[in-house]
Amino acid sequence: MPETPVLFVLNGPNLNLLGEREPEIYGRETLEDVRGICERAAPDWRVDFRQTNHEGVLVDWVQEARIAAQALVINPAAYTHTSIALLDALKTLSIPVVECHLSDPAAREAFRHHSYVALVAAKTVAGHGARGYELAVRAAVELAQERGLA
Ligand code: DQA
């Protein structure tokens, strides 16, 4: 067990535009604001916070989390609803996975109702805006502690 446990917070496509992108749906906080929320929610952890627009990069980072992290929070954005590759990567993890969405996809268009990630996530937080990341990080930390990983 490492001295300082590591939490990966992975963000998928278009979340780099948070604050500018459809603020009526996703809120006015930027991704940097979200990073701060995550860091404050897990003061005893090292938070490795990342964003990519590329599906394969997300898969690479999930594989990296197998070795480097004790818990994972992921907002896969649109890949939530499409990516079997991401699901397969997440299935290789033995650390807790918490799925996080700013909006509530279940209350939006039908094509957002299905989540591949939900098949492996220990918990899903949705519809709480940027504050949802705080809830997701706390849940991931608690789950890791329950499992004796941190
Ligand atoms: C999202 C919801 C997804 O349906 C959408 O494609 C996103 C963001 C959210 O955080 O609410 O890009 O994951």
Side-chain angles (χ1 to χ4, degrees):
M1 198 182 294
E3 281 195 3
T4 304
V6 177
L7 171 71
F8 272 27
V9 182
L10 304 182
N11 296 281
N14 301 304
L15 291 170
N16 54 313
L17 298 179
L18 209 56
E20 297 170 38
R21 170 197 182 208
E22 300 180 273
E24 66 287 357
I25 296 175
Y26 298 116
R28 300 216 170 264
E29 290 92 345
T30 65
L31 198 61
E32 274 311 296
D33 295 332
V34 172
R35 179 199 297 272
I37 287 169
C38 292
E39 288 171 352
R40 284 192 294 280
D44 300 330
W45 286 58
R46 186 167 74 72
V47 176
D48 196 332
F49 187 93
R50 307 180 189 183
Q51 187 274 332
T52 179
N53 290 329
H54 304 280
E55 182 177 12
V57 175
L58 267 185
V59 169
D60 286 344
W61 287 349
V62 168
Q63 291 188 11
E64 194 183 328
R66 293 178 73 220
I67 299 153
Q70 282 67 54
L72 170 65
V73 170
I74 186 163
N75 182 351
Y79 292 135
T80 307
H81 318 298
T82 62
S83 182
I84 297 168
L86 183 60
L87 169 65
D88 284 348
L90 289 165
K91 278 184 170 175
T92 72
L93 296 179
S94 51
I95 60 173
V97 174
V98 177
E99 176 184 7
C100 182
H101 300 284
L102 296 139
S103 67
D104 181 4
R108 298 178 61 194
E109 305 96 320
F111 61 82
R112 297 184 201 276
H113 293 183
H114 179 259
S115 166
Y116 285 104
V117 175
L119 299 175
V120 289
K123 188 180 167 87
T124 297
V125 177
H128 296 276
R131 204 183 101 71
Y133 278 79
E134 179 184 337
L135 305 174
V137 165
R138 288 208 184 137
V141 164
E142 270 176 32
L143 285 163
Q145 284 165 348
E146 279 168 21
R147 294 188 197 178
L149 299 171

